[in-house]
């Protein structure tokens, strides 16, 4: 179904990063991976330390088959968060996307 948004809806969502992540999640669950990726990219631009958006962003990259973007993103995550599981989830997702299943 078509969702009609007002400017107030957008402003409210962007004022609260958690509701913005929830909106991106809704887009993902509706299989609108391009819109989800656009939202998660904007979230990461404006709120770069929002860890809760990282798995969703990685999943959107996989669904869109953006292999080089996923490689670069996973590489940055491992550099910045080498002990966080989400960084290694990104690496595994990259290997999954490139069909290197034994390494993922």
């Amino acid at each position: 179904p078509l969702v009609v948004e007002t400017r107030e809806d957008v402003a409210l969502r962007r004022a609260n990063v958690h509701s913005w992540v929830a909106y991106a999640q809704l887009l993902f669950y509706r299989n609108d991976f391009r819109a989800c990726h656009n939202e998660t990219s904007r979230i990461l631009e404006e709120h770069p330390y929002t860890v809760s958006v990282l798995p969703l962003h990685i999943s959107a990259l996989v669904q869109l088959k953006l292999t080089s973007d996923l490689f670069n993103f996973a590489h940055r995550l491992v550099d910045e968060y080498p002990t966080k599981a989400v960084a290694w989830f990104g690496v595994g997702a990259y290997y999954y996307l490139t069909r290197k299943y034994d390494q993922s």
Side-chain angles (χ1 to χ4, degrees):
L2 180 64
V3 177
V4 177
E5 292 185 305
T6 64
R7 289 183 185 184
E8 292 80 20
D9 292 335
V10 174
L12 181 61
R13 185 172 59 248
R14 288 190 173 182
N16 181 341
V17 71
H18 300 293
S19 63
W20 199 359
V21 172
Y23 176 70
Q25 207 166 24
L26 172 71
L27 293 171
F28 186 87
Y29 292 148
R30 289 185 174 174
N31 295 326
D32 193 350
F33 305 121
R34 174 68 52 204
C36 174
H37 176 261
N38 291 340
E39 292 298 321
T40 58
S41 295
R42 286 188 206 123
I43 292 167
L44 289 169
E45 284 175 16
E46 293 186 27
H47 305 278
Y49 299 105
T50 306
V51 177
S52 63
V53 77
L54 297 177
L56 185 59
H57 188 68
I58 292 166
S59 298
L61 290 169
V62 170
Q63 291 298 323
L64 294 170
K65 296 178 176 42
L66 298 174
T67 308
S68 61
D69 291 349
L70 180 56
F71 175 83
N72 292 328
F73 189 67
H75 195 275
R76 275 198 345 249
L77 285 177
V78 170
D79 285 346
E80 292 179 28
Y81 307 109
T83 61
K84 296 254 185 215
V86 72
W88 297 103
F89 171 65
V91 172
Y94 168 76
Y95 284 120
Y96 168 80
L97 187 57
T98 57
R99 298 177 183 251
K100 296 178 182 174
Y101 302 119
D102 57 327
Q103 295 175 3
S104 66

